[in-house]
Amino acid sequence: METELPHILTDKHGKRRDFSIPPGLIAPSVEQEMRSYANRVLVTPFQKLVAATKEPFVQAILDLGVPQMAFDRIVLVGDAAFIPRPHTAASTSKAAANAIAQINLGACIFFFLVKPWESNPSLSMARSAGKESNEVINEPESV
């Protein structure tokens, strides 16, 4: 699959960066593409915001999911287990739901919910994107 990320993460000096380009170092062609795109697709307030940004920066936003959530008596929840993209605004609610589920169900039951889910190969893509975690570990309807 072809991606634009290597092009976007190459700074104005031709240096390929791993995850970000600091303000003032975006390649002029990338900055122009960004500004043109903003003018084509964003609503006016956001177009003005982009236009007013003198030195934009780039930060790659990637999904991350851990392959294991339970370690003896310790369970990873929220951002420790899955880092969703920031625009989903789900990190705090995911951590709270995981914590409530753990408290309401008890660590033992939570462990039995997490362990089978971790080892299910059919959920590997969902696990890396963090999409299925709320369906597996969520706040119980009633206790």
Side-chain angles (χ1 to χ4, degrees):
M1 180 176 163
E2 195 65 29
T3 176
E4 295 180 52
L5 199 54
H7 169 67
I8 293 170
L9 288 174
T10 301
D11 70 20
K12 69 181 184 181
H13 302 296
K15 180 181 177 187
R16 169 68 167 85
R17 295 173 176 262
D18 293 325
F19 300 107
S20 65
I21 304 275
L25 291 182
I26 293 179
S29 63
V30 172
E31 183 175 345
Q32 182 55 45
E33 290 169 26
M34 176 205 63
R35 292 184 187 283
S36 295
Y37 184 78
N39 287 330
R40 284 192 319 274
V41 301
L42 297 179
V43 295
T44 303
F46 288 115
Q47 288 175 352
K48 290 179 180 178
L49 183 63
V50 170
T53 304
K54 293 180 180 164
E55 291 187 324
F57 64 93
V58 173
Q59 176 64 53
I61 298 175
L62 309 167
D63 290 320
L64 175 68
V66 297
Q68 181 178 350
M69 292 173 61
F71 304 86
D72 297 319
R73 295 179 51 186
I74 298 170
V75 178
L76 300 176
V77 297
D79 283 356
F82 298 95
I83 302 176
R85 297 174 191 145
H87 63 271
T88 64
S91 302
T92 302
S93 62
K94 181 182 289 296
N98 290 170
I100 290 168
Q102 183 177 1
I103 290 166
N104 287 343
L105 297 174
C108 182
I109 294 171
F110 186 80
F111 181 81
F112 288 113
L113 289 173
V114 173
K115 274 303 196 190
W117 182 80
E118 285 178 346
S119 61
N120 186 336
S122 67
L123 294 176
S124 63
M125 288 200 49
R127 185 168 48 242
S128 66
K131 292 179 182 173
E132 295 290 333
S133 61
N134 278 333
E135 292 177 21
V136 177
I137 306 164
N138 59 9
E139 182 178 351
E141 304 235 350
S142 63
V143 176

